[in-house]
Amino acid sequence: MAPSQHKLIVSAVCIFSLSTAFVWSRYYKSAAFERPFHFSILTFLFSGIALSACARYILGHESSSYGPLSNGNASPKSFFADILKSPLRFRSLSPSFALLLFCLVARTILYWRTIRTIHCSWDGLQSFLPFLLAILAILDLRPTRLARHEHDTQTQKAGASSAFMKYALITLLWGLAATDTLLLSERTTGAICPAGLHIERLIPLAQLVTLALDAVFISQVGKLRQGNEGQSRTWHLLGTLFLTSAGILAFLGVWSCIDRASFQWNVFLTWHAVGDLVIDSIAVTTGIVTAVYLLGQLHVSLVSILLTVVSIFVYLQWRIMDGTMIKVWSNWWGLITGVWLFWGAGILFHFGKAATLQFQTSGEGIISRNRYGFYALIAFLLVFSQAIFLSPGGFRPTPGLIIANARHESDTWIARAGKSRTLKEAVSEYRERYGMPPPPNFDKWYDFATSVKSPIIDTFDQIHADLLPYWGTLPSILRQRTTHLLEHPSLSMGGIIIEGGKTDVSPLIHGTHRWMMDVTRDMLEPFAQWLPDMQLAFNLDDECRISVPLDRMEAYMEEGLKARARLGAKQKLLPFSNIQDPPWVKEYLNADESIWNEKSTWFSDRSKRQIFYEWISPTCPANSPVNKYRWWNRKAECLECSAPHMTNGFVSNWTLSGDLCHQPDLAYLHGVLLSSSAMAPSHTLFPVFSQSRLYNFADILYPSPWNFGEKVEFENNKSIPWEEKLNSVYWRGASSDGFAAHGAWQTFLRARFVHMAAKARMTIRAKSLFNLLPSRRDFFSTRATTTPSSSPTPQTTIPPDNNQLAVNVSFVGNFNRCDERDCTAEHVTFYGSATAEPPPSLDFQEHWRHRHLIDLDGAAFSGRFIPFLKSGSLPYRAALFRTWWEERVHAWRHFVPLDVRLADLWPAVSYLGGPSGLAEADEIAQAGRQWALESLRKEDMQVYMFRLLLEWGRLVDDRREDLGFAV
């Protein structure tokens, strides 16, 4: 081989490896992979043009069977004309054309189907590509001539067959090790592949067929490149092949646009998606062109090994950096598969080189023949060292340090929240904290708060954060928008009218929600006489409503800060005004039934569809992760997305964990974001009072009627001491966190949790392909007894001692928030069969018998959390929705926070339910109980509501920059 040719091959190998590594490094973050048709069409188009250009300009000196190519100075018009004429010509000349065309088109369609239900796929199947190519080589052994090598390529069939049999065995074992390593190291979100006869269950078969098509395609291209025919003809043939494939896929894509949703998805691409498509298509095109060149110089086995090994090792680097691989390799089986993964790769490279040279390696010594294996072992030692030194958190991190820090921060906050002992001190503290005087009648609020012994007098940052953007809006506009909400009852808003110190409820409320406003009115009664006249619009739906784009929100907040500063500079302060201009409108209260048919143009119906990119992304900075990349793979956990609010695998910043701007993966992992039951949001800053909201929404939080009305409550006479509680994880509930349509439930929070609980006994080796081997270590540091959630009558296993941990989790009742297909799929998945009787609901007081209680978002916040805190059990909370009490109830001091991906669930439970963490679990549970009994009483809700409405009364007053209270 000439030195120049050798350099060219080395350069091609480097370019091929770099392009492969680049594409795989972007696999989870690029929007291109979420759009297989767009991606394939663009890639095939670029590849077809590039390959045709290579045929014309790089290899233009060769002649082919259909005549000489034109000279390199041909015009672009002539160049593209030749490309367009080529398909008919080559289809008649090459019998491989139809087969290759079928492989490209079919694998794209199958890949599209796989992406749609990626959570049912099997990771690591691409590792068997070298094995399939070896099988094809065995089945089709015939002499091959590598025209670019000086030695004769003729070998006897018997020798080649024997060599390829050995090679196939090694590739099989290596593929098993690679797949097993990926299984052991996978970090999943718990997305569910439904049980029963569903098309999703066929996704692994589609993957296998796709892999077989890839093997056939690579094998056939290798034969074409290593054949005796003119090379320019082969390059031109392949260029035509890719262009034809792009045309066929584009035709199929046009037909899919008939459906409205598909049309929007296929046509209205964001600039971010377009950028990803172009970048990744160019990268893949580079890989394809270099691969085509290498297939003419190297054996297909060597090229396939290079492709597979690079992709696997890029994945391993991710897992090394996030600390997963050190846990895998700390297990003896994981270590064995890791060593073989590297050593086997070295052996495969040796075989690939030997195959390229037609196994002419008899002159090599034993060291020379095995040097790639030694290189691979050295590489493993280096990578293993990297895993030890760079992995965060060590082998088995615990939340001990986080708990200690949380205890100190919580005690400091509580001490500062109630430090004022007199009205004068409270007024002074208010001014110092918020830069303006307190609202009129603040003295009446102070008297009320102290009379009910509120532990919190000074810290109400939640109220001021909620109301700040409304300071940037004129009072008259706030009143007009409130009226708009109340005179459109179809928006599901409940109204309360306060006039002359008395409260009344708007009659424009459906009977099923009337109780909410009646309870809210009861909450206001003790202090209504001190409130100015106002009208309030309360959201009767679970879902939040107001999502203001970031640029507008920043403008509101900037103007709000200026308005507060102007008020803070005033020396003379006035009381509430008696009248407003224009006054509050009340004509709608006497409207006839036709008012229910009036629709508001300010709100959009987004029920049963994804809201993330329309209603969350605009509220985030342009450089935030949610606007920089899309984490489309709903099966794979995005550790980079959760890293800002987690430390060593545990939530360390509960407030930040609700911010969706750094968590693009949650677009598919929460029912409200993916397919909410009732979502009617607005981009305009309407003054809507809601019981809970997502971090990125602007609804005003108020104490929930559900809790104030004691819809669920802890009965003190049912209290059980911690020592007598079962050391078990307990949850019962309904699948209420979204509407299940088109399989959306498979990634809902509650469904993922119940599914995870059913598999809680899985050990690290139980995930392995070789889980039939005896296991010595359970996933939990303590033994776990799991009650399958599919059982119609779940039983609680009573542990003989406190070191055992039981899991008692199940849905109850039938599935109702779903279409027929999904209701059946949920029933079969969680209850065992379509005819199985669902577990019955149990007495709510049953919760108190268990130590570990799980609280999860439903359609919005869960109303159980406050009773959980008061029970003396240990509440775990996985939630995106935030409520009025967020600032006063502290993570790791009063409850255990969980990331909604739930990867930290079992590590937290195993620590706090095991011998080393039981004391801390007891301390958190008792601290939460004591603080809830002091600060989350009905009286505390009234204290919060009283202060909130004083602040709001000032906001909607035309003279608000002159209103205040002074001692």
Side-chain angles (χ1 to χ4, degrees):
M1 183 186 300
S4 59
Q5 187 177 8
H6 182 268
K7 291 181 180 180
L8 190 59
I9 293 175
V10 172
S11 299
V13 167
C14 293
I15 294 173
F16 178 69
S17 300
L18 289 174
S19 61
T20 302
F22 177 79
V23 171
W24 274 97
S25 68
R26 290 171 51 83
Y27 176 67
Y28 291 112
K29 293 184 178 182
S30 173
F33 291 95
E34 192 178 21
R35 300 173 180 270
F37 265 77
H38 295 81
F39 191 18
S40 297
I41 291 171
L42 198 59
T43 299
F44 292 169
L45 178 63
F46 288 171
S47 298
I49 295 173
L51 292 169
S52 298
C54 289
R56 188 173 186 85
Y57 297 107
I58 297 178
L59 303 174
H61 62 279
E62 295 183 3
S63 60
S64 58
S65 59
Y66 57 86
L69 293 170
S70 304
N71 62 57
N73 297 321
S75 67
K77 181 177 180 180
S78 173
F79 170 64
F80 285 105
D82 285 346
I83 292 177
L84 294 175
K85 293 176 183 177
S86 298
L88 293 175
R89 179 186 301 163
F90 282 121
R91 282 204 321 190
S92 62
L93 292 176
S94 175
S96 301
F97 190 92
L99 176 61
L100 294 174
L101 184 64
F102 173 78
C103 289
L104 286 178
V105 174
R107 71 102 50 216
T108 300
I109 295 173
L110 290 173
Y111 182 63
W112 166 79
R113 180 65 252 187
T114 301
I115 289 296
R116 289 189 62 185
T117 47
I118 191 69
H119 48 284
C120 292
S121 64
W122 290 353
D123 289 337
L125 290 183
Q126 70 271 21
S127 307
F128 292 98
L129 179 61
F131 171 71
L132 291 182
L133 285 168
I135 296 299
L136 290 175
I138 293 173
L139 295 176
D140 190 26
L141 275 176
R142 54 185 176 216
T144 304
R145 182 175 300 278
L146 292 177
R148 284 152 183 74
H149 295 301
E150 297 175 359
H151 60 271
D152 186 16
T153 61
Q154 299 293 330
T155 56
Q156 295 183 354
K157 279 191 175 183
S161 177
S162 174
F164 271 107
M165 288 291 289
K166 295 177 183 178
Y167 174 78
L169 177 61
I170 295 175
T171 56
L172 176 62
L173 295 176
W174 186 84
L176 291 171
T179 302
D180 210 46
T181 298
L182 265 62
L183 287 174
L184 291 170
S185 61
E186 68 177 351
R187 301 285 296 260
T188 68
T189 60
I192 304 162
C193 193
L197 300 176
H198 296 281
I199 192 172
E200 292 93 337
R201 307 296 297 185
L202 298 177
I203 293 303
L205 177 60
Q207 289 180 276
L208 291 172
V209 174
T210 302
L211 188 66
L213 292 172
D214 289 342
V216 171
F217 183 85
I218 294 173
S219 176
Q220 290 298 313
V221 172
K223 290 178 183 179
L224 288 173
R225 285 287 290 121
Q226 295 173 4
N228 293 320
E229 301 180 55
Q231 291 304 307
S232 62
R233 180 181 185 279
T234 301
W235 283 79
H236 224 307
L237 172 66
L238 294 175
T240 301
L241 170 70
F242 280 100
L243 289 173
T244 306
S245 300
I248 293 175
L249 292 175
F251 176 78
L252 296 175
V254 169
W255 279 104
S256 70
C257 291
I258 296 176
D259 177 69
R260 180 181 178 184
S262 297
F263 178 80
Q264 292 178 336
W265 173 256
N266 289 333
V267 177
F268 295 103
L269 276 66
T270 64
W271 285 112
H272 174 255
V274 171
D276 281 350
L277 284 167
V278 172
I279 291 172
D280 291 321
S281 294
I282 293 174
V284 175
T285 297
T286 303
I288 289 174
V289 173
T290 53
V292 169
Y293 171 77
L294 290 174
L295 286 172
Q297 311 298 323
L298 308 176
H299 196 275
V300 291
S301 61
L302 188 55
V303 177
S304 68
I305 294 165
L306 190 61
L307 172 66
T308 308
V309 169
V310 170
S311 63
I312 295 296
F313 286 100
V314 168
Y315 174 85
L316 289 182
Q317 279 300 309
W318 290 339
R319 291 295 172 245
I320 288 172
M321 300 306 295
D322 64 36
T324 302
M325 290 313 302
I326 193 62
K327 298 174 185 177
V328 172
W329 288 336
S330 65
N331 177 278
W332 69 269
W333 181 254
L335 184 61
I336 289 176
T337 56
V339 171
W340 173 245
L341 182 66
F342 280 76
W343 190 30
I347 295 175
L348 290 178
F349 271 114
H350 171 73
F351 269 91
K353 180 182 176 183
T356 299
L357 301 175
Q358 295 295 295
F359 300 99
Q360 307 259 338
T361 58
S362 57
E364 292 184 336
I366 186 171
I367 296 179
S368 179
R369 289 199 303 270
N370 293 283
R371 64 183 182 276
Y372 291 105
F374 290 119
Y375 296 159
L377 289 178
I378 293 173
F380 175 75
L381 292 176
L382 294 175
V383 171
F384 188 78
S385 301
Q386 178 194 17
I388 293 176
F389 290 108
L390 297 184
S391 297
F395 286 86
R396 297 184 183 277
T398 69
L401 182 59
I402 300 176
I403 294 173
N405 292 336
R407 185 185 302 118
H408 172 73
E409 292 174 3
S410 176
D411 292 344
T412 302
W413 187 95
I414 292 173
R416 190 167 182 262
K419 71 176 186 178
S420 294
R421 294 293 179 264
T422 65
L423 175 61
K424 183 177 180 180
E425 290 180 0
V427 171
S428 176
E429 184 69 20
Y430 186 106
R431 276 186 170 273
E432 182 179 344
R433 285 172 180 260
Y434 306 117
M436 60 181 179
N441 294 340
F442 184 77
D443 56 335
K444 305 301 188 295
W445 173 85
Y446 180 82
D447 292 340
F448 180 81
T450 54
S451 69
V452 298
K453 296 181 172 55
S454 172
I456 298 175
I457 298 296
D458 301 308
T459 304
F460 288 87
D461 296 347
Q462 181 73 62
I463 291 176
H464 289 270
D466 287 355
L467 300 186
L468 177 58
Y470 295 93
W471 276 94
T473 307
L474 293 175
S476 59
I477 294 179
L478 293 177
R479 297 196 299 272
Q480 291 170 5
R481 289 178 177 175
T482 299
T483 300
H484 180 86
L485 295 171
L486 298 181
E487 65 186 8
H488 289 83
S490 61
L491 291 174
S492 191
M493 297 287 174
I496 287 187
I497 294 89
I498 302 174
E499 189 172 9
K502 298 185 181 299
T503 60
D504 197 9
V505 177
S506 168
L508 304 177
I509 303 174
H510 284 297
T512 54
H513 291 86
R514 172 78 190 199
W515 71 269
M516 294 176 63
M517 293 299 93
D518 289 338
V519 171
T520 302
R521 181 177 59 182
D522 293 341
M523 192 189 312
L524 306 184
E525 286 294 340
F527 51 84
Q529 60 182 315
W530 307 114
L531 298 176
D533 293 353
M534 67 177 84
Q535 296 180 15
L536 303 167
F538 292 90
N539 177 20
L540 299 178
D541 289 340
D542 293 322
E543 295 82 357
C544 42
R545 310 296 285 274
I546 307 303
S547 169
V548 181
L550 181 63
D551 56 345
R552 276 187 267 166
M553 180 60 76
E554 288 179 337
Y556 283 131
M557 296 178 72
E558 182 180 0
E559 186 57 38
L561 291 173
K562 293 178 181 178
R564 288 184 178 183
R566 290 192 294 268
L567 172 57
K570 297 293 176 65
Q571 298 298 320
K572 183 179 180 180
L573 301 173
L574 303 176
F576 289 119
S577 303
N578 293 323
I579 59 173
Q580 308 296 335
D581 184 23
W584 290 101
V585 177
K586 293 186 287 186
E587 285 77 7
Y588 65 89
L589 296 173
N590 301 315
D592 57 26
E593 290 297 316
S594 64
I595 195 173
W596 287 91
N597 298 322
E598 295 184 10
K599 303 297 182 183
S600 171
T601 58
W602 295 97
F603 289 80
S604 305
D605 182 8
R606 291 298 181 269
S607 302
K608 304 176 186 178
R609 68 182 74 177
Q610 190 186 72
I611 67 167
F612 195 88
Y613 294 104
E614 183 180 3
W615 299 95
I616 300 298
S617 296
T619 68
C620 299
N623 62 349
S624 63
V626 76
N627 287 317
K628 290 176 64 178
Y629 62 85
R630 292 179 66 135
W631 190 275
W632 56 269
N633 191 329
R634 62 199 69 187
K635 175 184 179 181
E637 181 187 358
C638 177
L639 294 174
E640 182 179 340
C641 302
S642 60
H645 62 261
M646 300 191 76
T647 301
N648 295 337
F650 298 98
V651 175
S652 56
N653 190 328
W654 173 249
T655 301
L656 191 60
S657 70
D659 186 355
L660 295 170
C661 290
H662 65 274
Q663 305 181 78
D665 59 323
L666 295 189
Y668 298 103
L669 298 180
H670 198 287
V672 170
L673 300 174
L674 186 57
S675 179
S676 59
S677 297
M679 175 62 75
S682 174
H683 282 312
T684 302
L685 191 65
F686 278 89
V688 175
F689 289 78
S690 293
Q691 302 173 78
S692 65
R693 69 156 188 256
L694 295 171
Y695 183 96
N696 301 72
F697 277 63
D699 303 48
I700 303 167
L701 295 175
Y702 78 103
S704 169
W706 182 272
N707 292 129
F708 190 84
E710 297 179 334
K711 287 290 185 179
V712 292
E713 189 56 29
F714 169 71
E715 299 176 10
N716 283 319
N717 62 345
K718 299 291 181 69
S719 177
I720 300 176
W722 174 266
E723 295 77 14
E724 298 178 15
K725 292 177 183 284
L726 300 175
N727 192 25
S728 54
V729 177
Y730 186 83
W731 185 86
R732 289 291 186 279
S735 179
S736 60
D737 40 346
F739 188 89
H742 308 295
W745 64 271
Q746 296 163 19
T747 55
F748 284 0
L749 173 61
R750 292 189 172 192
R752 289 187 291 112
F753 166 71
V754 174
H755 190 65
M756 285 180 176
K759 297 185 176 182
R761 287 202 58 138
M762 181 176 287
T763 67
I764 189 171
R765 288 185 59 259
K767 297 165 64 177
S768 170
L769 292 172
F770 305 98
N771 57 0
L772 296 178
L773 295 175
S775 176
R776 297 183 180 180
R777 182 176 298 171
D778 285 336
F779 183 90
F780 292 122
S781 58
T782 59
R783 293 166 55 195
T785 304
T786 304
T787 300
S789 62
S790 59
S791 171
T793 55
Q795 302 290 326
T796 300
T797 302
I798 301 178
D801 60 66
N802 285 339
N803 287 331
Q804 284 192 324
L805 182 65
V807 179
N808 193 328
V809 168
S810 177
F811 281 124
V812 295
N814 289 311
F815 296 96
N816 299 315
R817 295 191 179 191
C818 41
D819 59 25
E820 183 177 356
R821 176 187 181 275
D822 287 274
C823 283
T824 301
E826 287 186 271
H827 201 100
V828 171
T829 299
F830 295 109
Y831 298 152
S833 70
T835 59
E837 285 296 321
S841 299
L842 300 178
D843 183 359
F844 187 69
Q845 306 304 312
E846 167 68 18
H847 285 84
W848 321 140
R849 299 178 60 238
H850 307 270
R851 289 179 178 172
H852 309 275
L853 303 181
I854 310 298
D855 184 68
L856 306 168
D857 277 344
F861 82 110
S862 167
R864 310 175 184 185
F865 185 72
I866 292 180
F868 282 4
L869 278 175
K870 294 179 179 179
S871 70
S873 293
L874 180 61
Y876 297 73
R877 187 174 179 222
L880 291 179
F881 281 91
R882 298 298 187 250
T883 62
W884 69 276
W885 42 258
E886 294 298 333
E887 64 182 342
R888 65 178 65 190
V889 179
H890 305 141
W892 294 111
R893 179 55 169 159
H894 304 128
F895 71 98
V896 178
L898 295 176
D899 184 68
V900 293
R901 298 163 188 81
L902 299 178
D904 54 342
L905 170 62
W906 300 126
V909 168
S910 65
Y911 175 75
L912 295 169
S916 58
L918 275 177
E920 288 178 307
D922 185 12
E923 181 182 352
I924 295 172
Q926 301 315 311
R929 169 182 168 82
Q930 185 62 36
W931 183 238
L933 295 174
E934 292 179 16
S935 67
L936 296 177
R937 305 163 297 161
K938 295 175 68 172
E939 295 86 349
D940 297 301
M941 300 179 197
Q942 290 175 313
V943 168
Y944 188 94
M945 195 68 166
F946 190 177
R947 182 148 170 171
L948 171 63
L949 294 185
L950 285 180
E951 298 284 2
W952 184 251
R954 174 165 61 179
L955 257 176
V956 296
D957 195 304
D958 289 324
R959 300 188 299 172
R960 67 187 183 189
E961 293 185 18
D962 296 309
L963 304 187
F965 174 83
V967 178

